[in-house]
Amino acid sequence: MRSDRITKGTEAAPQRALLHALGMTDYEIGKPLIGIVSSQNEIVPGHINIDKVTAAVKQGVSEAGGVPVVFPAIAVCDGIAMGHEGMKYSLVTRELIADSTEAMAMAHPFDGLVMVPNCDKNVPGLLMAAARLNIPAVFVSGGPMLAGTHKGKKISYSTVSEAVSERKTGKISEEVLRDYEHKACPTCGSCSGMFTANSMNCLTEALGMALPGNGTIPAVYSARLRLAKETGRQIMELVRRDIKPRDIMVKKAFENALVIDMALGCSTNSMLHLPAIAHECGIEIDLDTANELSEKTPNLCHLAPAGNHYIQDLDEAGGISAVMKEADKLGLIHRELLTCTGNTVEENMKDSEILDVEVIRTVEHPYSRQGGIAVLKGNLAPEGCVVKKSAVDEKMMRHLGKAKVFDGEEAALSAIYEGQINPGDVVVIRYEGPKGGPGMREMLNPTSAIMGSGLGDTVALITDGRFSGATRGAAIGHVSPEAAVGGNIALVRDGDEIEINIPECKINLLVPDDELEERRNTWKPISRELKGYLKRYSRDVTSGSRGAVLE
């Protein structure tokens, strides 16, 4: 075992002395040492309950004969960071989480790891660390929040975000906004729709790195604690059998995850995170693969923000295993793959069934015949850009409009609130990409302002930044190459026509090539004064089309 180097032999006496200082007995020091990466903190609603989940994992590890040792990982709440400089520090934490977990696990040679994440960058960051370390590892998240209710209707964080614009335009009163504010997020947990956090927790399950139920059992259910205990016991089985993350996260496992991504209609951020996790496994996923699988995969779920169902409804309808089993009817699932249960995908899903055909549609009656995410390409995004097409109004699937260009989120948001955006416009927000932001901020506030202003079926938004999983509408992000490196989005001017064709996966700036070349000759990038981690990140980060990994 890896821990032998600090627990066995004469040479390990100094290390054993320090383990004794932790309160470990000789009996414990002879057992497998299991690191538990706890993302608990008191600022993120999805993480405030993780101490209880971690305690349950510890119990499971101990019951199965291991010694649990907890160490921390950071986590940013995207909702709290939204709309100000703090959002620049969201995506960038993914690499910090991966790096710091690598450092802890290498400095202290654990025999296995249980990762306890929940929110947006925390889940992929720990999956990246698991792949990089490649020692036995299993995941159990803190679980999703329950939806709120307002006058008998389920609501969530995204309801409040859109309500801000509704209040500014006089569509609702201050009292209604305040009522939403108090009722939208009624419990701890990751925000209740198919936003990024829940997308990644569901996809962790689809990858085979978490036990069934990980993505959907609500944070406040006792079943979440039982799952955590089972996860603690299961890491000991993985250690015994020496099953490692890269035995599970093979290329076909990522294909399974992409299929479930399309079937569920997950957050567009999955198109950043899955390639980044695959990269750590030595696997390259290009965005064309996502389109190929989307073409074959029906969209079976319309979870918020695309529809009126929430993660708790998905759990009650059969969960991820039921979605996988339904997709398997079309031959889309690699059933033979090993998972962290020690069994195959086929064995995991054999007893699953759909319990509510409105929440999880059958392949015969899907919400749409193609998947929930599309990658668009054209002269505006030669390397690609991403849209959550399951959350786009049918009227906006094809759109031709004139550009309104803004160099940053704040200017665009002000223009929307001041009524400067008209039906038919295409709002372009640039210099918000991985390098240019830096940090690729989420644009939930502008998209929510568009929806709340009643422009969601007439106005598109395009950015080299990204979107919250709570975003809906014709919101097209991850435009690559980004403006900061001279991508064509940097050359767009007010009044230019932009053509969007989501069904055909095309996006084009209708400006002649010679005119674009003339503009390029006079273009100068915006310069930002950077320091600290953002300066290093901006220097080393790659394109959004490559998952915004560091090189």
Side-chain angles (χ1 to χ4, degrees):
M1 292 192 295
R2 292 179 81 244
S3 63
D4 286 354
R5 67 195 73 175
I6 62 168
T7 62
K8 289 186 169 56
T10 302
E11 295 81 2
Q15 285 92 341
R16 288 196 298 272
L18 293 170
L19 295 177
H20 287 310
L22 297 173
M24 287 191 194
T25 65
D26 288 330
Y27 176 69
E28 289 175 302
I29 290 174
K31 295 181 176 183
L33 197 62
I34 305 300
I36 302 174
V37 187
S38 170
S39 306
Q40 197 270 342
N41 64 47
E42 295 185 353
I43 188 62
V44 184
H47 290 237
I48 195 166
N49 66 313
I50 281 179
D51 56 343
K52 295 179 177 62
V53 178
T54 299
V57 172
K58 289 179 68 176
Q59 184 175 337
V61 169
S62 296
E63 287 172 355
V67 177
V69 180
V70 178
F71 65 92
I74 63 169
V76 164
C77 178
D78 279 21
I80 294 175
M82 195 71 67
H84 58 90
E85 286 295 299
M87 181 47 73
K88 293 179 185 288
Y89 286 88
S90 172
L91 179 61
V92 306
T93 63
R94 188 185 69 184
E95 272 58 33
L96 285 174
I97 291 162
D99 292 349
S100 59
T101 302
E102 174 196 359
M104 287 294 288
M106 293 304 294
H108 314 98
F110 297 107
D111 299 303
L113 294 170
V114 180
M115 310 294 199
V116 192
N118 213 20
C119 287
D120 297 31
K121 311 311 151 320
N122 192 244
V123 180
L126 289 178
L127 280 165
M128 291 165 68
R132 191 184 301 172
L133 289 161
N134 203 33
I135 62 175
V138 63
F139 281 65
V140 58
S141 75
M145 184 184 290
L146 294 179
T149 56
H150 180 262
K151 295 184 177 180
K153 180 183 177 182
K154 287 179 181 176
I155 61 173
S156 69
Y157 169 80
S158 63
T159 309
V160 187
S161 187
E162 292 183 15
V164 172
S165 186
E166 293 174 337
R167 175 69 194 112
K168 285 180 176 289
T169 56
K171 293 183 178 180
I172 62 171
S173 67
E174 184 68 30
E175 290 73 24
V176 170
L177 177 61
R178 183 60 62 89
D179 210 22
Y180 283 155
E181 178 185 328
H182 282 277
K183 293 179 177 178
C185 301
T187 71
C188 62
S190 47
C191 294
S192 55
M194 188 53 78
F195 311 146
T196 307
N198 291 325
S199 294
M200 292 311 303
N201 282 320
C202 289
L203 295 181
T204 302
E205 192 176 327
L207 272 172
M209 288 296 293
L211 301 184
N214 176 72
T216 59
I217 296 172
V220 293
Y221 285 10
S222 298
R224 175 62 53 179
L225 299 180
R226 295 197 296 271
L227 181 70
K229 290 176 186 176
E230 291 167 6
T231 302
R233 289 193 287 270
Q234 186 58 27
I235 187 59
M236 297 303 296
E237 178 67 8
L238 297 178
V239 169
R240 185 184 67 80
R241 293 175 58 181
D242 197 28
I243 296 174
K244 300 182 178 73
R246 292 206 293 268
D247 298 327
I248 296 169
M249 290 193 286
V250 296
K251 186 169 185 178
K252 287 182 178 180
F254 284 97
E255 292 174 1
N256 281 353
L258 283 167
V259 164
I260 299 309
D261 194 345
M262 300 306 165
L264 292 173
C266 288
S267 165
T268 52
N269 282 313
S270 64
M271 293 295 100
L272 285 174
H273 300 322
L274 287 176
I277 298 159
H279 180 74
E280 294 289 350
C281 294
I283 299 166
E284 296 305 316
I285 295 177
D286 60 41
L287 296 181
D288 291 333
T289 302
N291 265 0
E292 291 166 11
L293 290 172
S294 182
E295 189 65 26
K296 301 175 185 176
T297 306
N299 181 215
L300 304 179
C301 301
H302 261 195
L303 297 150
N308 296 318
H309 299 139
Y310 291 81
I311 300 298
Q312 67 204 69
D313 302 316
L314 178 60
D315 187 61
E316 291 168 6
I320 302 308
S321 294
V323 178
M324 294 185 78
K325 189 172 183 179
E326 191 63 23
D328 185 51
K329 288 181 180 179
L330 298 177
L332 296 171
I333 299 297
H334 300 290
R335 295 179 293 175
E336 75 283 2
L337 302 183
L338 180 66
T339 73
C340 70
T341 65
N343 298 322
T344 64
V345 170
E346 182 174 19
E347 291 168 322
N348 289 347
M349 66 184 185
K350 65 181 173 65
D351 295 326
S352 299
E353 59 179 316
I354 296 174
L355 303 176
D356 186 331
V357 293
E358 275 305 299
V359 178
I360 305 173
R361 293 277 184 93
T362 65
V363 294
E364 292 83 12
H365 303 286
Y367 283 100
S368 64
R369 295 291 172 187
Q370 288 80 39
I373 291 178
V375 176
L376 315 183
K377 287 190 175 182
N379 72 340
L380 189 56
E383 295 176 6
C385 55
V386 182
V387 62
K388 186 172 184 173
K389 67 180 180 181
S390 61
V392 177
D393 190 288
E394 188 62 36
K395 298 175 189 174
M396 293 299 293
M397 287 292 182
R398 291 178 173 85
H399 183 71
L400 177 65
K402 292 186 176 180
K404 292 279 184 73
V405 184
F406 304 93
D407 292 340
E409 174 188 2
E410 289 81 2
L413 190 60
S414 295
I416 298 166
Y417 284 150
E418 291 167 11
Q420 297 175 23
I421 305 303
N422 302 310
D425 286 345
V426 178
V427 176
V428 177
I429 304 178
R430 62 192 180 192
Y431 294 101
E432 290 286 6
K435 283 185 178 292
M440 209 176 185
R441 284 195 290 181
E442 289 183 344
M443 301 290 133
L444 178 60
N445 285 355
T447 55
S448 294
I450 287 170
M451 299 304 295
S453 299
L455 296 169
D457 60 352
T458 60
V459 169
L461 189 151
I462 298 171
T463 180
D464 53 6
R466 61 195 180 93
F467 296 110
S468 164
T471 290
R472 62 191 179 104
I476 300 167
H478 309 191
V479 170
S480 301
E482 62 176 289
V485 299
N488 282 348
I489 191 172
L491 309 179
V492 183
R493 293 179 179 173
D494 284 341
D496 286 347
E497 285 194 322
I498 294 175
E499 184 177 36
I500 300 165
N501 188 326
I502 295 173
E504 295 183 18
C505 298
K506 295 178 181 177
I507 184 166
N508 283 296
L509 174 62
L510 302 185
V511 173
D513 290 344
D514 56 351
E515 169 67 14
L516 288 178
E517 193 57 35
E518 190 175 317
R519 292 182 189 181
R520 188 176 302 284
N521 291 335
T522 59
W523 169 77
K524 292 182 180 178
I526 288 177
S527 177
R528 301 191 194 278
E529 188 67 34
L530 300 174
K531 60 183 179 179
Y533 181 51
L534 288 184
K535 183 175 183 178
R536 300 195 301 276
Y537 183 89
S538 180
R539 180 192 66 208
D540 296 337
V541 71
T542 61
S543 167
S545 64
R546 296 179 56 197
V549 298
L550 298 185
E551 286 188 347

